[in-house]
């Protein structure tokens, strides 16, 4: 049952980063490339019409984590308390930026909330990437100092950064040079994803320009990907062992590489949906490859005193997991029905749709 719930939660998290990921990317494109008011309005609308339904997947993932892996949930939400509060505020400002910009027809008012939407989206993409970097790097479980745990073995606390700014420190912070690299990869990936969403859903005047931007960002992403694998192996020499011992897991990096290669043909793709499909594979492959490299570990320990958190030592009881199964199936069906209905109601270009605010 642990493996089953791990897969379900991984699917829900992947859905969140695919769906809300294009909202983050849309905000990044809006911040740096939308100059005309008509472009700003329609690009903001392409995120505004969907953001609230997309974030349902984040709520679902949090609820499932609490139900299936309560020890992991407690550990992460205490250890990452500070960045999680920052993320919460960023989610709030991104949402009110979208909802408030159309309340009054004053340029200064619109500019303020456009910046709120764009900057919050950029920082959310960065912080979620940094969070992933922390997961694959590992944390000082138990707060070990001089070989002694200062608290229970499954708890930890990280400052935003430490004086060394190094992932190789015995007491690393949330932000170091390794997690920053993963954060930048997240920003570039979601900017590509958001640009493809804008091309798919709008008739913005910058759509042709966005294809050139996607091509350039994809070149940068290739370089960053190669560099990140090299430094990851420096941070954790065993990072790729799972793909050797479990060869079937190589499927997930292949998904990522398929998206990466496909996006080099963005200028020649005849259907707009193809570009979005490739960037979806990019996001999906990146998330699943990271999880696959750790399995069955879900939070590595960087010390030798306390063992890493796995799906087995953090899960709820077998009875609890089995009871949750029926309700989980019902919830999953409702979630997918909700998403399908919304996407069908808002199919096609959204330029003429009323946002409503």
């Amino acid at each position: 049952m642990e493996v089953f719930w791990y897969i379900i939660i991984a699917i829900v998290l992947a859905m969140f980063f695919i769906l809300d990921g294009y909202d983050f990317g849309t905000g990044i494109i809006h911040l740096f490339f939308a100059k005309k008011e008509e472009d700003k309005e329609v690009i903001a609308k392409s995120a505004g019409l969907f953001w609230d339904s997309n974030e349902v997947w984040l709520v679902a993932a949090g609820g499932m984590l609490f139900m299936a892996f309560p020890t992991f949930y407690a550990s992460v939400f205490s250890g990452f308390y500070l960045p999680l509060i920052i993320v919460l505020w960023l989610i709030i400002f991104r949402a009110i930026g979208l909802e408030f910009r159309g309340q009054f027809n004053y340029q200064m008012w619109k500019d303020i909330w456009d910046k709120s939407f764009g900057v919050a989206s950029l920082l959310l993409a960065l912080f979620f990437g940094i969070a992933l970097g922390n997961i694959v790097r590992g944390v000082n479980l138990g707060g070990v100092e001089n070989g002694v745990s200062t608290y229970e073995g499954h708890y930890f606390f990280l400052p935003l950064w430490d004086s060394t700014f190094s992932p190789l420190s015995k007491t690393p912070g949330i932000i170091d040079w390794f997690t920053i690299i993963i954060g930048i990869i997240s920003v570039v990936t979601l900017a590509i994803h958001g640009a493809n969403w804008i091309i798919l859903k709008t008739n913005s005047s910058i759509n042709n320009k966005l294809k050139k931007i996607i091509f350039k960002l994809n070149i940068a992403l290739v370089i960053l990907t190669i560099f990140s694998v090299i430094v990851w192996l420096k941070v954790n020499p065993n990072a790729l062992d799972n793909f050797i011992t479990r060869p079937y897991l190589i499927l997930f990096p292949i998904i990522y590489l398929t998206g990466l290669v496909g996006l080099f043909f963005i200028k020649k793709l005849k259907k707009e949906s193809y570009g979005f499909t490739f960037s979806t594979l990019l996001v999906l492959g990146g998330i699943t490859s990271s999880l696959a490299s750790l399995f069955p570990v879900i939070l590595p320990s960087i010390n030798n005193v306390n063992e890493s958190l796995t799906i087995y030592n953090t899960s709820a009881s077998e009875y609890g997991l089995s009871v949750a199964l029926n309700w989980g199936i019902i919830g999953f069906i409702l979630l997918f029905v909700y998403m399908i209905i919304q996407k069908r109601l808002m199919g096609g270009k959204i330029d003429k749709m009323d946002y409503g605010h």
Side-chain angles (χ1 to χ4, degrees):
M1 287 296 284
E2 292 91 347
V3 174
F4 171 80
W5 281 109
Y6 175 79
I7 292 171
I8 293 297
I9 293 170
I11 291 172
V12 172
L13 279 173
M15 289 297 294
F16 166 71
F17 284 111
I18 290 169
L19 297 175
D20 217 28
Y22 67 64
D23 286 338
F24 299 158
T26 298
I28 295 168
I29 298 299
H30 189 282
L31 179 65
F32 291 111
F33 301 107
K35 305 300 180 184
K36 299 177 182 178
E37 175 57 30
E38 55 267 31
D39 288 336
K40 291 181 179 180
E41 183 174 346
V42 75
I43 290 172
K45 192 191 299 184
S46 71
L49 287 169
F50 299 92
W51 74 264
D52 47 357
S53 64
N54 292 339
E55 287 188 359
V56 169
W57 293 90
L58 181 61
V59 177
M64 288 182 177
L65 272 178
F66 179 71
M67 179 279 300
F69 304 106
T71 303
F72 174 72
Y73 180 93
S75 176
V76 167
F77 274 74
S78 62
F80 292 138
Y81 185 81
L82 183 57
L84 284 171
I85 291 297
I86 294 173
V87 165
L88 177 61
W89 278 103
L90 289 173
I91 288 174
I92 291 171
F93 273 96
R94 183 186 67 130
I96 62 176
L98 286 167
E99 300 297 326
F100 280 15
R101 83 174 304 275
Q103 294 293 328
F104 299 102
N105 193 26
Y106 297 112
Q107 194 57 49
M108 186 173 72
W109 174 268
K110 290 182 177 180
D111 289 344
I112 290 171
W113 297 115
D114 281 345
K115 287 293 185 291
S116 173
F117 167 49
V119 172
S121 297
L122 174 65
L123 292 178
L124 278 168
L126 181 66
F127 265 87
F128 276 118
I130 288 172
L132 180 60
N134 275 267
I135 295 295
V136 298
R137 179 204 64 198
V139 300
N140 184 21
L141 286 173
V144 173
E145 295 179 7
N146 300 318
V148 179
S149 295
T150 56
Y151 30 83
E152 291 181 70
H154 58 272
Y155 284 117
F156 67 97
F157 177 78
L158 300 183
L160 272 180
W161 59 79
D162 77 339
S163 58
T164 66
F165 206 69
S166 170
L168 303 176
S169 168
K170 292 181 179 179
T171 56
I174 291 160
I175 301 173
D176 56 44
W177 56 259
F178 173 69
T179 59
I180 283 290
I181 292 170
I182 306 301
I184 293 172
I185 289 175
S186 174
V187 170
V188 174
T189 301
L190 295 183
I192 291 171
H193 196 42
N196 275 313
W197 177 252
I198 292 167
I199 293 170
L200 178 66
K201 298 299 290 183
T202 78
N203 292 309
S204 167
S205 67
I206 64 170
N207 279 4
N208 287 330
K209 180 182 177 182
L210 287 180
K211 291 184 178 182
K212 298 177 183 177
I213 291 169
I214 290 169
F215 185 83
K216 292 177 181 177
L217 287 176
N218 206 45
I219 295 173
L221 187 57
V222 170
I223 297 169
L224 285 167
T225 298
I226 296 170
F227 182 61
S228 69
V229 171
I230 294 170
V231 297
W232 188 13
L233 288 171
K234 181 177 180 180
V235 172
N236 179 9
N238 302 318
L240 303 180
D241 286 2
N242 249 11
F243 298 108
I244 298 171
T245 57
R246 298 180 173 94
Y248 56 87
L249 294 179
I250 201 73
L251 169 67
F252 301 114
I254 289 174
I255 292 173
Y256 180 82
L257 291 173
T258 301
L260 202 62
V261 172
L263 286 169
F264 279 114
F265 299 94
I266 186 68
K267 297 177 184 178
K268 298 179 180 179
L269 296 177
K270 294 182 179 180
K271 289 190 176 181
E272 296 165 340
S273 59
Y274 291 167
F276 184 72
T277 299
F278 282 127
S279 61
T280 297
L281 292 176
L282 203 61
V283 177
L284 177 63
I287 295 294
T288 53
S289 296
S290 300
L291 295 177
S293 70
L294 297 174
F295 182 83
V297 173
I298 47 180
L299 187 62
S301 173
I302 62 171
N303 61 63
N304 296 320
V305 177
N306 298 303
E307 64 179 358
S308 299
L309 300 184
T310 71
I311 63 172
Y312 301 110
N313 63 17
T314 62
S315 68
S317 67
E318 191 73 19
Y319 174 73
L321 293 177
S322 60
V323 168
L325 180 60
N326 294 331
W327 291 105
I329 292 172
I330 294 171
F332 227 66
I333 292 171
L334 291 174
L335 202 56
F336 271 103
V337 168
Y338 173 47
M339 182 188 72
I340 291 169
I341 290 174
Q342 193 223 28
K343 301 306 180 194
R344 287 182 66 87
L345 289 174
M346 297 184 182
K349 302 290 185 177
I350 52 85
D351 301 72
K352 302 300 181 182
M353 290 186 184
D354 179 31
Y355 188 6
H357 295 286

